[in-house]
Amino acid sequence: MNYFTYKDIHAEGNKKILEINILPEKICNFDCIFCPIRRNIKTNKQQKFEGLDNSLEVFGKKIQDANPDIIFINSKGEALLNKDITKIIHFIKTKNCKVKLLSNGYLLGKQDYKEIANLCDEVIGEIKTINEDDFQKIQRPYKDYTLNEYINSMAFFKSQYRGDFILEITILKGYNDNNDSIQKLKKIIQKISPDKIEIKKEEDKRLKKRLAITDERLSEIKKEILIQHSNIAWK
Ligand code: SF4
């Protein structure tokens, strides 16, 4: 059985990117109300899936045909919860490709997960809420998780990471788009101190009406954050 899935190869600048999902079903330590993948298994424990050898065989052929520069692990959930992620990253390295990993960021401060993410050349962590109530209400994390620990986890990871740490911030209407929220976001950015920031609005068709801010407001927020963080690169 082959359980990896792929998106069409695309380019970023002069780099060819192959995007891969390494989870056969959605597994995540959050259950966000705006998640594009509906069915959810909420856990904070790694899961083992049948079919790794076959999946790697197909993956190897894909890499040979497409000859990408970067493999982007962008999964249906939290990729770090695949028990075989270390093997998968080492496999990619044997093909002389760089590895970019998307994680929601919560596990990055924990010793075992930190070591896994340290193997990657680029890591993306995310921020979507800026107060505890909203974090619990709309990101519905695993029990006992807190926003404070989430932010500290990414800050700790970044403090020792040698690759590029990208902080992806999603502005959600009514949750983190007013002026007070932007001031809080600036403090969070300062604490995490990422190498790059990406600021986005909600793009999912089903949720745009409820959660998307206007393009004008998005540019105002970007400008406001840039005043304080002009030293950080923008995606
Ligand atoms: S962190 Fe991402 S994958 Fe996990 S539930 Fe939230 S939106 Fe979905």
Side-chain angles (χ1 to χ4, degrees):
M1 184 188 132
N2 163 32
Y3 70 81
F4 296 169
T5 54
Y6 305 88
K7 287 200 178 148
D8 288 342
I9 195 144
H10 64 276
E12 260 181 43
N14 57 357
K15 304 281 183 215
K16 273 163 85 179
I17 322 265
L18 177 60
E19 220 171 299
I20 180 173
N21 157 44
I22 61 164
L23 297 172
E25 55 194 326
K26 182 185 161 194
I27 289 180
C28 196
N29 46 354
F30 293 178
D31 182 16
C32 303
I33 59 163
F34 41 76
C35 185
I37 309 139
R38 285 299 176 87
R39 243 185 97 246
N40 192 46
I41 298 172
K42 186 156 65 177
T43 178
N44 70 343
K45 298 254 173 342
Q46 286 188 318
Q47 313 282 309
K48 178 102 185 147
F49 304 107
E50 291 300 315
L52 180 70
D53 290 345
N54 282 345
S55 303
L56 288 178
E57 198 182 321
V58 175
F59 186 24
K61 285 186 188 135
K62 264 232 159 309
I63 293 176
Q64 203 175 0
D65 291 346
N67 193 24
D69 302 290
I70 300 172
I71 304 294
F72 180 20
I73 302 176
N74 178 9
S75 290
K76 289 200 281 190
E78 176 52 75
L80 289 167
L81 292 175
N82 182 327
K83 207 170 182 46
D84 287 314
I85 187 168
T86 305
K87 276 190 201 160
I88 296 167
I89 293 169
H90 283 308
F91 178 83
I92 297 169
K93 293 284 176 176
T94 65
K95 307 291 175 193
N96 294 320
C97 296
K98 294 203 165 179
V99 183
K100 177 173 177 175
L101 171 71
L102 174 68
S103 163
N104 61 37
Y106 203 98
L107 297 170
L108 293 175
K110 306 210 181 292
Q111 184 62 24
D112 293 352
Y113 294 107
K114 180 192 80 174
E115 297 304 332
I116 297 169
N118 277 341
L119 298 170
C120 302
D121 303 276
E122 287 178 72
V123 173
I124 304 173
E126 302 175 315
I127 281 289
K128 294 179 173 170
T129 48
I130 44 118
N131 67 57
E132 190 62 45
D133 282 355
D134 289 345
F135 179 54
Q136 299 299 333
K137 196 168 103 196
I138 69 170
Q139 295 203 260
R140 302 186 296 194
Y142 194 74
K143 61 178 173 350
D144 300 335
Y145 277 17
T146 65
L147 181 63
N148 204 28
E149 191 186 348
Y150 186 16
I151 294 165
N152 286 341
S153 187
M154 284 193 273
F156 171 66
F157 174 73
K158 164 63 179 62
S159 69
Q160 55 79 62
Y161 181 50
R162 292 176 171 209
D164 269 351
F165 184 69
I166 302 158
L167 184 62
E168 191 181 281
I169 299 168
T170 308
I171 306 293
L172 300 172
K173 187 161 76 183
Y175 289 99
N176 59 4
D177 60 331
N178 65 20
N179 290 341
D180 279 355
S181 305
I182 303 312
Q183 297 314 313
K184 281 190 190 157
L185 269 176
K186 284 185 187 176
K187 287 189 183 140
I188 293 171
I189 295 168
Q190 196 162 13
K191 184 158 194 180
I192 297 174
S193 184
D195 299 289
K196 291 181 193 158
I197 310 177
E198 182 170 13
I199 301 186
K200 318 190 309 186
K201 59 179 196 163
E202 180 58 58
E203 294 291 357
D204 188 303
K205 277 189 206 135
R206 294 171 301 128
L207 302 166
K208 262 185 164 175
K209 204 168 166 195
R210 198 169 129 214
L211 293 174
I213 58 168
T214 62
D215 287 338
E216 291 72 30
R217 182 64 185 139
L218 184 65
S219 351
E220 278 170 18
I221 292 171
K222 284 183 176 177
K223 269 189 213 144
E224 176 63 28
I225 291 177
L226 183 63
I227 292 171
Q228 190 167 344
H229 295 289
S230 53
N231 57 325
I232 300 175
W234 286 67
K235 275 206 78 201

